Amino acid sequence: MKREGWFAPYVSSYFWRFLLIVLLGALTVFSASSLMYTSGFLISKASIPPENILMIYVPIVGVRAFGTSRAVIHYVERLVGHDTILRILSQMRQRLYRILEPQALFLSSRFRTGDILGMLADDIEYLQNVYLRTVFPAVISLIIYAAAVIAIGTFDVRFALLVGLYILVLVAVLPLVSLLVTQKRQREIKQARNRLYQKLTDAVLGMSDWMISGRQGQFVETYEADEQAVARTDAALRRWARIRMFLGQSVIGLGVLSMIWWAGGEFAEGAIPGTLIAAFVLVVFPVADAFLPVSEAIEKIPQYRNSLERLAGVAEGLTEKATGGTNGGAMPDGGESDRSGGDDTPPGLPDAAVTSRQLAHILIRGVGYRYAKEAEWSVRDLTLDIPQGKKIAIIGRSGAGKSTLLKLIQGALAPTAGAVKINGRDAASYGDRIPSIISVLNQRPHLFDTTVANNIRLGDPEASEEQIARAGALAKLGDLIAALPAGYDTRVREAGQRFSGGERQRIALARILLQNTPVVLLDEPTVGLDPRTERELLSTIFAAMEGKTLIWVTHHLVGAERMDEVIFMENGRVEMRGTHAELLASEPRYRRLYELDRPGYAAQRGSAAR
Amino acid sequence: MDRNLLGYKGVRPVFLAVGFLTLVQSLSILLLAKSLAEVISALFAGEPLKEQWGTALLFLLAFLARHACGLLMSSVSYRFAEKTGSAMRRKMMDRLFRLGPRMAGDQGTGTLVTLVLEGVTKFRTYLELIIPRMVAMSVTPVLLLVYVYTQDRMSGIILTLTMPIIIVFMILIGMTARKQMDRQLESYRTLSNHFVDSLRGLETLKFLGRSKDHSQAIAEVSDRYRSATMRTLRVAFLSSFALDFFTMLSVASVAVSLGLRLVNGDMTLVTGLTILILAPEYFLPVRLVGADFHATLDGKEAGEAMKSIIDREPLKAVALENAALSSPETSGGDEARPEGRRKQVGAHASAGTPDRSASGGGKSAAESASALPESVFAWNNSSTLSLQGISVRHEEGGPSSLEEIRLEFTGTGKIGIIGESGAGKSTLIDVLAGFLHPGGGSITVNGCKVSSLTDDAWRRQTSYIPQRPYIFSGTLADNVRFYYPEASLDDVSRAVAAAGLSPLTASLPGGLDERIGGGGRSLSGGQEQRVALARALLSSRPIMLLDEPTAHLDIETEYELKETMLPLFEDKLVFLATHRLHWMADMDHIIVMKQGRVAEVGTHQELLERKGTYYELVEAQLEGIH
């Protein structure tokens, strides 16, 4: 069932193409075999002085035709094969995307390393080998098998059975034995290599620690020892591959001998003309070539299993989470919006999204949230009134509940207790409409590998060049763009590598300015920037966000004085709240922290007072 | 084909063995063709079957001998490839851990790890294939052709003519395909990365409300990718088409010409059959080379990438001037044992720092002459360290990261290094930690003038806490005792307590034995810093280097961490590089960096009164946001 999910549907939807590929593959073998068959026949025929040269004219034409056709058919087969596989890959990609898309906001917590996504993409690439390297060769060999046995069967059923037995060894016995022999070792190697990968990545990332510890030689020793162990298993596998090849060839050698014996006997009895002896014997070699690769094709099967399981695991894991969530009343958006497709404006509120373009009043009343029934509360007893245009800063340690709060406001999570309302409606009920009300600038906004303009345009696909330039100017991108070789049409390179952290944030800022929503969530956008860049970026953001509601999760207190309210969260609760001035006056703890961001502030105030 | 190939250890016996086996194999092929032809023509002539068993057995033996040779050859070359590959990897690993984190950062962790794991495998495949293929190409066709000539000149001529045609066509088509690939390489890369790019940016797309529609974009791009790939494949597959086409055509021509001459009675059936059987064998080595072309090319490139790392000479710290060490006559004796990797003095020039490499060849004799005694680097309360005109330039011709740094340090104390990003703070820390060999200037430690601090003995004096300390996958205790694996559990607990990790340890079900890092429990940024701190404390090394330890943390965590750290800095020489100004008030000395130079040195008060660069930095932060 699991495996069918990523395999069977494509076989049925591309059935005719698959058939064509397999037939072309069989024809390729047929041409090569026929070349040797007709050649053998031709030479034998020619060696008996014929009454007429025309007698050998037909085989001559046959030889020439088969000689040229093999290459042509094989070429076509490969092209059709790759084209089909690429079509299938395209569908698989879309499918994986559609599985992941509804859960986009939870991916980063589910898969801690961003690389699992790259791995899934690789898995799909890898699956093309299932068809090209395993399914097609195996099916083609079966067709040839049947054809060969039937062809000989027309002469002699008993010998056909013997041939059938020989080929059975090549297409079934050897591959199955091979699978049994290698399966365990292959798994070991795969696991061992994964461990090596982990170990080495660890060591390279922690290289400075290894160097400082002076133990790098020790690491290289243990690493090499592990590699040696893998090498030993690998050598065993290779030894078996060589032996298997030799066994296969021995079967072919015996097959040739049997063919000689049979053809000679038949000729002696007058059952076949002598010209066919050479033809029959010579045809064994090219036909056998079709069977030898089967063992290797079958041996690969365990290797695909990993990829298939990982893909199936993702699909299952996510649906599970989605349904589990709905049961707990947590995630109304996941499964539902999928079914209702693109148009999910709830009935009775036709213009909600349109009106919200201008204004949004967010009301959080007694909200609590926990991820599972028994779990700790991530957020509890939270009440916040955020009318249009209010600016609040949220600060707290990691795990204080800030991200959960943001997800609640975005409607990605439905509160376990209390209510989050936007313009009087549950935030969660907006579903896919939420980006028209709330935009987000987070720590690492993704820049796509295209031009700067296209990246900004993602905020509003209908935006004109001028609108983009205006958004860019608001985000103070002017100087940066002017310095680029092609201005806004310069490519950003993979993940925006062309730009520094601060520059990337400005491009992302232009993008959300174009998105033009009444509410903007800032999720620690300045982490990793140096103080000057941080200050400059923040002042650009604040200037550009005039009139918008701003909910700003921050790790520093720079700019806190520009906020209407500062909220300190701890263990899911609000620990302190108030305006900057209030907190500064009443909370020594706040003063202490503020001092970290503004060293000398106390001294300055002191001297000003004096 | 590859000049490096002959340089690998033990390659000659392998060539000899493979050459011998190939010869035996080619002879077996001749024998099997001849015996098979004889059996068939005898049967055809009506001779009884049972008289043919002898020849038929001969055929079987020759056939098995041929494949046994193949088996042995692949076994011999596999063993060689495995040995050479492992040796390469080992050398590369040694070199990697000598070149240090800078180089790993430049190359990218992922690239390096892939090179070690996949690259070595590819390289091994290359070595394994290339030797038998090369030998087979040069032995088998020649031998078979000579034999065919002795039997039938016409067939020999056909076979001879086909070979250059095949090779020329393959080269031409290969070049066309490559040109086409190169032409659309950029768009190709973008198309093929589009899907991963989309997955990585899924969250952003969702925020923008574009994630639903994007499925359509994936379909379109996948489709464009398919057309682009097919355009390339149409050309690329042509080369194997040409190979197929001409070999098959050649075999067919041989068969037809044989047939025509048989009709005229110029030839016997045995000869005709033998040549017919030999014709495909004649082309087999070329076809195998064609089939393995990409695998060998990949492997060759991987091998070159590894070699380029191995050839990088890590610059070692050497004594430049010391009465006890610099007597010239010692050089002869020490030069007799240059380390193995010093073999290629010429390769020295490819090392990271251009300034030195010019004189590298000449200097190396003097360099190897002066091994540094451990005691030089030992640090105590009265030790001194001074930098004289240190400069670092990461790329040749690029801007200097450090220029003419002159600084002096004695005994213990807390030294803050401040400046904006790009001012050279991290580079200075890297030089002080011995990760980086400066391009110019010298360093004097305890009166001994050395070229750099890149020496294990110096590193044993230091502990290092970067912005994001790396947590190895292992237990908490193992992570803490990373510098000293033999440390007792008591010592570990003490360090853990001092670093303020006790609450964490108490909350973990496994306590100190809880697995952390990759595959284990993940820690917050503040906790990671504390683990690194415990690690440094346990080592009780006299010098501590911190590179931007708190900038990425939320302000409360930063505050608490600072409170924990400050008392632990006592009685050590501490270098703390940061752009967070608040640390500076607690430092004994402050080095203000600006554009790779030392702008000012002094205490917090002195620098404020001076109203220079430091004052400007403080003022800028006080201004807040406008």
PDB file of all heavy atoms in Angstrom, chain A residues 330-353:
ATOM      1  N   ALA A 330      -7.343  21.984  17.022  1.00  0.00           N
ATOM      2  CA  ALA A 330      -6.174  22.847  16.874  1.00  0.00           C
ATOM      3  C   ALA A 330      -5.991  23.363  15.459  1.00  0.00           C
ATOM      4  O   ALA A 330      -5.591  24.494  15.268  1.00  0.00           O
ATOM      5  CB  ALA A 330      -4.925  22.094  17.290  1.00  0.00           C
ATOM      6  N   MET A 331      -6.322  22.550  14.500  1.00  0.00           N
ATOM      7  CA  MET A 331      -5.899  22.932  13.159  1.00  0.00           C
ATOM      8  C   MET A 331      -7.020  22.827  12.136  1.00  0.00           C
ATOM      9  O   MET A 331      -7.103  21.869  11.391  1.00  0.00           O
ATOM     10  CB  MET A 331      -4.754  22.042  12.753  1.00  0.00           C
ATOM     11  CG  MET A 331      -3.609  22.835  12.206  1.00  0.00           C
ATOM     12  SD  MET A 331      -2.281  21.748  11.897  1.00  0.00           S
ATOM     13  CE  MET A 331      -1.974  21.096  13.513  1.00  0.00           C
ATOM     14  N   PRO A 332      -7.874  23.757  12.124  1.00  0.00           N
ATOM     15  CA  PRO A 332      -9.024  23.641  11.238  1.00  0.00           C
ATOM     16  C   PRO A 332      -8.626  23.806   9.777  1.00  0.00           C
ATOM     17  O   PRO A 332      -9.355  23.383   8.900  1.00  0.00           O
ATOM     18  CB  PRO A 332      -9.907  24.814  11.669  1.00  0.00           C
ATOM     19  CG  PRO A 332      -8.942  25.806  12.232  1.00  0.00           C
ATOM     20  CD  PRO A 332      -7.795  25.033  12.794  1.00  0.00           C
ATOM     21  N   ASP A 333      -7.457  24.349   9.554  1.00  0.00           N
ATOM     22  CA  ASP A 333      -7.123  24.734   8.185  1.00  0.00           C
ATOM     23  C   ASP A 333      -6.577  23.564   7.399  1.00  0.00           C
ATOM     24  O   ASP A 333      -7.026  23.302   6.313  1.00  0.00           O
ATOM     25  CB  ASP A 333      -6.193  25.955   8.250  1.00  0.00           C
ATOM     26  CG  ASP A 333      -4.974  25.826   7.389  1.00  0.00           C
ATOM     27  OD1 ASP A 333      -3.991  25.257   7.876  1.00  0.00           O
ATOM     28  OD2 ASP A 333      -5.040  26.284   6.255  1.00  0.00           O
ATOM     29  N   GLY A 334      -5.698  22.748   7.978  1.00  0.00           N
ATOM     30  CA  GLY A 334      -5.031  21.661   7.271  1.00  0.00           C
ATOM     31  C   GLY A 334      -5.861  20.885   6.288  1.00  0.00           C
ATOM     32  O   GLY A 334      -5.835  21.129   5.103  1.00  0.00           O
ATOM     33  N   GLY A 335      -6.638  19.917   6.779  1.00  0.00           N
ATOM     34  CA  GLY A 335      -7.395  19.045   5.895  1.00  0.00           C
ATOM     35  C   GLY A 335      -8.485  19.763   5.119  1.00  0.00           C
ATOM     36  O   GLY A 335      -8.637  19.558   3.925  1.00  0.00           O
ATOM     37  N   GLU A 336      -9.220  20.624   5.788  1.00  0.00           N
ATOM     38  CA  GLU A 336     -10.396  21.228   5.176  1.00  0.00           C
ATOM     39  C   GLU A 336     -10.098  22.004   3.915  1.00  0.00           C
ATOM     40  O   GLU A 336     -10.680  21.759   2.866  1.00  0.00           O
ATOM     41  CB  GLU A 336     -11.052  22.200   6.156  1.00  0.00           C
ATOM     42  CG  GLU A 336     -11.983  21.527   7.147  1.00  0.00           C
ATOM     43  CD  GLU A 336     -12.400  22.500   8.219  1.00  0.00           C
ATOM     44  OE1 GLU A 336     -12.630  23.679   7.892  1.00  0.00           O
ATOM     45  OE2 GLU A 336     -12.465  22.090   9.400  1.00  0.00           O
ATOM     46  N   SER A 337      -9.161  22.920   4.010  1.00  0.00           N
ATOM     47  CA  SER A 337      -8.917  23.809   2.894  1.00  0.00           C
ATOM     48  C   SER A 337      -8.496  23.006   1.680  1.00  0.00           C
ATOM     49  O   SER A 337      -8.709  23.416   0.552  1.00  0.00           O
ATOM     50  CB  SER A 337      -7.836  24.833   3.249  1.00  0.00           C
ATOM     51  OG  SER A 337      -6.672  24.138   3.624  1.00  0.00           O
ATOM     52  N   ASP A 338      -7.937  21.841   1.911  1.00  0.00           N
ATOM     53  CA  ASP A 338      -7.550  20.983   0.811  1.00  0.00           C
ATOM     54  C   ASP A 338      -8.768  20.569   0.007  1.00  0.00           C
ATOM     55  O   ASP A 338      -8.778  20.597  -1.193  1.00  0.00           O
ATOM     56  CB  ASP A 338      -6.869  19.735   1.379  1.00  0.00           C
ATOM     57  CG  ASP A 338      -5.493  19.558   0.806  1.00  0.00           C
ATOM     58  OD1 ASP A 338      -4.988  20.555   0.255  1.00  0.00           O
ATOM     59  OD2 ASP A 338      -4.942  18.456   0.911  1.00  0.00           O
ATOM     60  N   ARG A 339      -9.788  20.183   0.735  1.00  0.00           N
ATOM     61  CA  ARG A 339     -10.982  19.683   0.067  1.00  0.00           C
ATOM     62  C   ARG A 339     -11.705  20.810  -0.666  1.00  0.00           C
ATOM     63  O   ARG A 339     -12.148  20.658  -1.785  1.00  0.00           O
ATOM     64  CB  ARG A 339     -11.908  19.026   1.095  1.00  0.00           C
ATOM     65  CG  ARG A 339     -11.864  17.517   1.038  1.00  0.00           C
ATOM     66  CD  ARG A 339     -12.638  16.905   2.169  1.00  0.00           C
ATOM     67  NE  ARG A 339     -11.844  16.836   3.388  1.00  0.00           N
ATOM     68  CZ  ARG A 339     -12.282  17.212   4.568  1.00  0.00           C
ATOM     69  NH1 ARG A 339     -13.505  17.710   4.706  1.00  0.00           N
ATOM     70  NH2 ARG A 339     -11.510  17.099   5.629  1.00  0.00           N
ATOM     71  N   SER A 340     -11.801  21.925  -0.008  1.00  0.00           N
ATOM     72  CA  SER A 340     -12.581  22.992  -0.617  1.00  0.00           C
ATOM     73  C   SER A 340     -11.804  23.695  -1.720  1.00  0.00           C
ATOM     74  O   SER A 340     -12.342  24.528  -2.428  1.00  0.00           O
ATOM     75  CB  SER A 340     -13.009  24.004   0.448  1.00  0.00           C
ATOM     76  OG  SER A 340     -11.858  24.414   1.173  1.00  0.00           O
ATOM     77  N   GLY A 341     -10.538  23.356  -1.886  1.00  0.00           N
ATOM     78  CA  GLY A 341      -9.759  23.889  -2.996  1.00  0.00           C
ATOM     79  C   GLY A 341      -9.464  25.359  -2.805  1.00  0.00           C
ATOM     80  O   GLY A 341      -9.281  25.841  -1.691  1.00  0.00           O
ATOM     81  N   GLY A 342      -9.411  26.097  -3.897  1.00  0.00           N
ATOM     82  CA  GLY A 342      -8.975  27.482  -3.832  1.00  0.00           C
ATOM     83  C   GLY A 342     -10.027  28.389  -3.198  1.00  0.00           C
ATOM     84  O   GLY A 342      -9.725  29.308  -2.472  1.00  0.00           O
ATOM     85  N   ASP A 343     -11.278  28.107  -3.465  1.00  0.00           N
ATOM     86  CA  ASP A 343     -12.323  29.033  -3.034  1.00  0.00           C
ATOM     87  C   ASP A 343     -12.841  28.638  -1.679  1.00  0.00           C
ATOM     88  O   ASP A 343     -13.730  27.802  -1.535  1.00  0.00           O
ATOM     89  CB  ASP A 343     -13.449  29.010  -4.067  1.00  0.00           C
ATOM     90  CG  ASP A 343     -14.544  29.976  -3.683  1.00  0.00           C
ATOM     91  OD1 ASP A 343     -14.217  31.050  -3.152  1.00  0.00           O
ATOM     92  OD2 ASP A 343     -15.715  29.637  -3.903  1.00  0.00           O
ATOM     93  N   ASP A 344     -12.270  29.240  -0.644  1.00  0.00           N
ATOM     94  CA  ASP A 344     -12.759  28.852   0.669  1.00  0.00           C
ATOM     95  C   ASP A 344     -13.222  30.060   1.472  1.00  0.00           C
ATOM     96  O   ASP A 344     -12.986  30.170   2.653  1.00  0.00           O
ATOM     97  CB  ASP A 344     -11.725  28.032   1.432  1.00  0.00           C
ATOM     98  CG  ASP A 344     -10.361  28.667   1.413  1.00  0.00           C
ATOM     99  OD1 ASP A 344     -10.270  29.820   0.917  1.00  0.00           O
ATOM    100  OD2 ASP A 344      -9.402  28.076   1.875  1.00  0.00           O
ATOM    101  N   THR A 345     -13.857  30.984   0.813  1.00  0.00           N
ATOM    102  CA  THR A 345     -14.495  32.054   1.558  1.00  0.00           C
ATOM    103  C   THR A 345     -15.704  31.438   2.237  1.00  0.00           C
ATOM    104  O   THR A 345     -16.542  30.839   1.578  1.00  0.00           O
ATOM    105  CB  THR A 345     -14.991  33.154   0.610  1.00  0.00           C
ATOM    106  OG1 THR A 345     -13.955  33.424  -0.320  1.00  0.00           O
ATOM    107  CG2 THR A 345     -15.341  34.406   1.357  1.00  0.00           C
ATOM    108  N   PRO A 346     -15.757  31.561   3.567  1.00  0.00           N
ATOM    109  CA  PRO A 346     -16.894  30.928   4.233  1.00  0.00           C
ATOM    110  C   PRO A 346     -18.182  31.636   3.821  1.00  0.00           C
ATOM    111  O   PRO A 346     -18.189  32.850   3.613  1.00  0.00           O
ATOM    112  CB  PRO A 346     -16.587  31.154   5.718  1.00  0.00           C
ATOM    113  CG  PRO A 346     -15.235  31.782   5.784  1.00  0.00           C
ATOM    114  CD  PRO A 346     -14.908  32.307   4.442  1.00  0.00           C
ATOM    115  N   PRO A 347     -19.255  30.890   3.702  1.00  0.00           N
ATOM    116  CA  PRO A 347     -20.521  31.499   3.330  1.00  0.00           C
ATOM    117  C   PRO A 347     -20.961  32.478   4.411  1.00  0.00           C
ATOM    118  O   PRO A 347     -20.676  32.295   5.597  1.00  0.00           O
ATOM    119  CB  PRO A 347     -21.474  30.297   3.240  1.00  0.00           C
ATOM    120  CG  PRO A 347     -20.805  29.207   4.018  1.00  0.00           C
ATOM    121  CD  PRO A 347     -19.345  29.454   3.899  1.00  0.00           C
ATOM    122  N   GLY A 348     -21.655  33.495   4.008  1.00  0.00           N
ATOM    123  CA  GLY A 348     -22.174  34.456   4.974  1.00  0.00           C
ATOM    124  C   GLY A 348     -21.226  35.614   5.246  1.00  0.00           C
ATOM    125  O   GLY A 348     -21.628  36.623   5.778  1.00  0.00           O
ATOM    126  N   LEU A 349     -19.991  35.485   4.842  1.00  0.00           N
ATOM    127  CA  LEU A 349     -19.033  36.576   5.051  1.00  0.00           C
ATOM    128  C   LEU A 349     -18.330  36.872   3.739  1.00  0.00           C
ATOM    129  O   LEU A 349     -17.130  36.706   3.622  1.00  0.00           O
ATOM    130  CB  LEU A 349     -18.009  36.189   6.106  1.00  0.00           C
ATOM    131  CG  LEU A 349     -18.467  36.183   7.553  1.00  0.00           C
ATOM    132  CD1 LEU A 349     -17.559  35.301   8.390  1.00  0.00           C
ATOM    133  CD2 LEU A 349     -18.520  37.586   8.103  1.00  0.00           C
ATOM    134  N   PRO A 350     -19.077  37.288   2.758  1.00  0.00           N
ATOM    135  CA  PRO A 350     -18.503  37.369   1.412  1.00  0.00           C
ATOM    136  C   PRO A 350     -17.366  38.379   1.294  1.00  0.00           C
ATOM    137  O   PRO A 350     -16.400  38.132   0.616  1.00  0.00           O
ATOM    138  CB  PRO A 350     -19.696  37.761   0.543  1.00  0.00           C
ATOM    139  CG  PRO A 350     -20.689  38.371   1.477  1.00  0.00           C
ATOM    140  CD  PRO A 350     -20.458  37.765   2.808  1.00  0.00           C
ATOM    141  N   ASP A 351     -17.489  39.515   1.961  1.00  0.00           N
ATOM    142  CA  ASP A 351     -16.528  40.583   1.697  1.00  0.00           C
ATOM    143  C   ASP A 351     -15.486  40.738   2.780  1.00  0.00           C
ATOM    144  O   ASP A 351     -14.784  41.734   2.831  1.00  0.00           O
ATOM    145  CB  ASP A 351     -17.264  41.907   1.509  1.00  0.00           C
ATOM    146  CG  ASP A 351     -18.072  41.882   0.232  1.00  0.00           C
ATOM    147  OD1 ASP A 351     -17.651  41.141  -0.685  1.00  0.00           O
ATOM    148  OD2 ASP A 351     -19.100  42.568   0.155  1.00  0.00           O
ATOM    149  N   ALA A 352     -15.401  39.739   3.620  1.00  0.00           N
ATOM    150  CA  ALA A 352     -14.492  39.859   4.763  1.00  0.00           C
ATOM    151  C   ALA A 352     -13.079  40.211   4.333  1.00  0.00           C
ATOM    152  O   ALA A 352     -12.463  41.134   4.860  1.00  0.00           O
ATOM    153  CB  ALA A 352     -14.476  38.562   5.559  1.00  0.00           C
ATOM    154  N   ALA A 353     -12.579  39.470   3.352  1.00  0.00           N
ATOM    155  CA  ALA A 353     -11.204  39.677   2.936  1.00  0.00           C
ATOM    156  C   ALA A 353     -11.007  41.061   2.348  1.00  0.00           C
ATOM    157  O   ALA A 353      -9.985  41.701   2.563  1.00  0.00           O
ATOM    158  CB  ALA A 353     -10.815  38.620   1.925  1.00  0.00           C
TER     159      ALA A 353
END
